[in-house]
Amino acid sequence: MQKKNSATIYDVAHRVGVSLATVSRVVNGNSNVRDSTKRKVLDAIEELGYHPNAVARGLASKKTTTIGVVMPDITDVYYSELARGIDDVANMYHYDVLLTNTDEDPVRETMAVNNLASKQVDGIIFMGNELDHEVVNTISGVNAPVVLAGSVDSEKKLPSVNIDYVEAIKEAMEAVIKNGHDRVAIVTGPVEHAINGMHRLVGYKKALEEAQIEFDDSLLFSTHQDYAAGLQVAEKILATGATAAITYDDEVAVGIMNYLRDHGKKVPEDFEIITSNDTKFTIITRPQVTSIGQPKYDIGAVAMRMLTKLMNNETIELTQVKLPHTLERRGTTLN
Amino acid sequence: MQKKNSATIYDVAHRVGVSLATVSRVVNGNSNVRDSTKRKVLDAIEELGYHPNAVARGLASKKTTTIGVVMPDITDVYYSELARGIDDVANMYHYDVLLTNTDEDPVRETMAVNNLASKQVDGIIFMGNELDHEVVNTISGVNAPVVLAGSVDSEKKLPSVNIDYVEAIKEAMEAVIKNGHDRVAIVTGPVEHAINGMHRLVGYKKALEEAQIEFDDSLLFSTHQDYAAGLQVAEKILATGATAAITYDDEVAVGIMNYLRDHGKKVPEDFEIITSNDTKFTIITRPQVTSIGQPKYDIGAVAMRMLTKLMNNETIELTQVKLPHTLERRGTTLN
DNA sequence: ATGAAAGCGCTAACAC
DNA sequence: GTGTTAGCGCTTTCAT
């Protein structure tokens, strides 16, 4: 049973017979301390079970060694992978992480950012699909650097780490078009959302254009982000005569696939599917789901690394980072 | 663009012509302020864009309105569901959450707890399978209440919220035994781990005993916690002549199922499987996987609620909470 | 109902 | 190499 709380830097100083400053120096690894006194201080720290009070330190130094992470939902495997990348790098640089779930509600996002600011975090990583104008405003007003991870603001004012969503969807489209499909459903989140809506649609249309296929908006579907939604939308997709689908969410993709197979369709022979996030869901199903491959962990890790530089006032050459994506061909596509 | 940082309580006080104390009172909702001055203060706060500095407040009041959450891995859907329950209730009571991943490494768990203590968190929720003696020691030494969620310490010294793991596994076993199986594989994590090892084994043996089936330790398997591990262990399980398996992890269960089906076994006709965590993985596969049902979100929520009471120095009647579990019969079992 | 003043535990000049 | 001295921005008695 170690000592409860108590011991302060003053106790240590007093015990050794030196000043607060000296103790502070050894604690902070300042070299200007004679080895012998350093040892004595260290011993006293050990004996008293002294642990620096980070709050006091934060007040005095104006650095909390804490960053804020704002994310839609910790149970969403896509975002939790990013968060893991963030956390690992954060720890590497000795930062702790204050985590907030927002469910992509702009009101809660704004509150979260303001709250983190009042807690004096040294920086913030923000994740979310739609960057509401007000949210961008709030973020810009915060007195701490902010980096977007897996998110974009349309004005590209904020530093961010992403993949090229437009290009990724375009490539996925090209893959199915090459397989002879000309009626390809595109399943997105709310269309007004940047990544899950707009960006994907742009990539989709680009591919159509290059293949000289007319855009048909009856092939555009917008759903909730879960398995049940996939089950539901599948029927509607089938009704349009589509023979392939590109989806924004892996659970939705699996829902569509399962519905199709339950209704006598063969995947991929009768219907091809490509999804976007390459989460575990795409691996455990039979067939496995072809997906755009995203370096999820790395997106988080790189964003966090960027944030450390920003917090350190280093200048950053490239603030709009695009990490490479792939196409992971699995069982829901031919070839 | 709102004001960067700056305004302090002093600025507000000065502007209105009152003392710091008065401003502090209105900020903290103390009733001893005349309505008219209160209004003036509020106005000044608005005009100056004043936001209380939580760090300073924490130092002065010795309360940070922050709790620590220690968990194995944010990307593990089982734990992230618990975390969501924790976070929602924490927000409800206006606490922020400092999150740490440990990968169940006792060294990192100890460091995490100590670090959180030095950050002066008001309380800690701890999640993890194995409560290393040293970790329990560290936890006990911390000057803040701690509640275990989905975790147990063998000495039951620490407050905790769980389901009855022994009973749950026993019931799962009874279900397959009733279906005529007498060679049932049990797949756990490291046997020395409390929940994923020991507890499950106890429940398994109890059921065997009641059914008067001899325990055969060649039916006991210990694996990593992922899909690939399931694929691998499946072959060995088959070699034992087992006709059913109880697993501790859903991904492992799906791995086993997929391997079996790929190798000509029919699930559930030839082989029945019951897993433990009832995560999304059990829903999206075909067939869906029968699982013990756990109120994951509630485990987190209840643990957090308990922690708020502890932080508030309320006495708690029951510190070892067991929430009800179920058996979710799906496609990997008959009946 | 309001103000004065003493800290909370630490860092960071600045002296010596 | 070490000590002195101000704060950091706020809460909290204790007076009034």
Side-chain angles (χ1 to χ4, degrees), chain A residues 189-243:
Chain A
V191 185
E192 65 276 17
H193 282 199
I195 292 176
N196 281 342
M198 217 169 56
H199 276 63
R200 292 180 200 270
L201 203 51
V202 171
Y204 175 79
K205 286 184 177 169
K206 269 197 178 177
L208 286 183
E209 211 169 284
E210 288 188 11
Q212 306 195 331
I213 301 174
E214 192 96 14
F215 172 68
D216 175 355
D217 71 359
S218 71
L219 290 171
L220 168 60
F221 297 88
S222 178
T223 70
H224 283 294
Q225 203 166 142
D226 57 45
Y227 178 72
L231 252 22
Q232 284 167 25
V233 79
E235 185 178 4
K236 297 184 204 153
I237 291 176
L238 227 37
T240 64
T243 57

Side-chain angles (χ1 to χ4, degrees), chain B residues 258-269:
Chain B
N258 283 344
Y259 180 95
L260 257 30
R261 298 182 74 206
D262 289 347
H263 289 259
K265 288 284 177 185
K266 292 201 169 182
V267 177
E269 293 82 355

Side-chain angles (χ1 to χ4, degrees), chain A residues 14-32:
Chain A
H14 190 247
R15 178 147 161 121
V16 182
V18 295
S19 72
L20 301 190
T22 300
V23 177
S24 178
R25 287 191 185 98
V26 348
V27 168
N28 292 299
N30 186 311
S31 54
N32 282 80

Side-chain angles (χ1 to χ4, degrees), chain A residues 170-333:
Chain A
K170 176 160 170 278
E171 287 170 20
M173 274 297 288
E174 286 167 358
V176 293
I177 288 174
K178 192 182 340 178
N179 285 352
H181 299 275
D182 57 359
R183 289 188 64 73
V184 182
I186 172 93
V187 183
T188 71
V191 185
E192 65 276 17
H193 282 199
I195 292 176
N196 281 342
M198 217 169 56
H199 276 63
R200 292 180 200 270
L201 203 51
V202 171
Y204 175 79
K205 286 184 177 169
K206 269 197 178 177
L208 286 183
E209 211 169 284
E210 288 188 11
Q212 306 195 331
I213 301 174
E214 192 96 14
F215 172 68
D216 175 355
D217 71 359
S218 71
L219 290 171
L220 168 60
F221 297 88
S222 178
T223 70
H224 283 294
Q225 203 166 142
D226 57 45
Y227 178 72
L231 252 22
Q232 284 167 25
V233 79
E235 185 178 4
K236 297 184 204 153
I237 291 176
L238 227 37
T240 64
T243 57
I246 310 283
T247 67
Y248 77 115
D249 180 85
D250 296 355
E251 284 185 70
V252 171
V254 175
I256 292 172
M257 176 176 81
N258 282 345
Y259 181 95
L260 257 32
R261 299 183 74 208
D262 290 347
H263 290 258
K265 289 281 177 188
K266 290 199 170 186
V267 177
E269 293 82 355
D270 302 337
F271 197 101
E272 294 193 67
I273 303 173
I274 300 182
T275 187
S276 297
N277 293 338
D278 195 28
T279 58
K280 289 177 180 176
F281 296 118
T282 65
I283 304 294
I284 70 167
T285 57
R286 291 302 162 91
Q288 295 182 326
V289 186
T290 295
S291 178
I292 292 165
Q294 297 194 33
K296 294 184 286 297
Y297 181 93
D298 294 343
I299 292 175
V302 170
M304 183 62 216
R305 179 66 185 103
M306 193 187 244
L307 187 62
T308 64
K309 289 182 183 162
L310 256 16
M311 292 188 293
N312 214 23
N313 289 316
E314 298 174 31
T315 48
I316 304 233
E317 52 305 337
L318 182 62
T319 59
Q320 303 288 322
V321 177
K322 294 231 185 291
L323 262 25
H325 60 270
T326 59
L327 185 62
E328 302 295 326
R329 295 177 177 277
R330 293 197 269 257
T332 58
T333 47

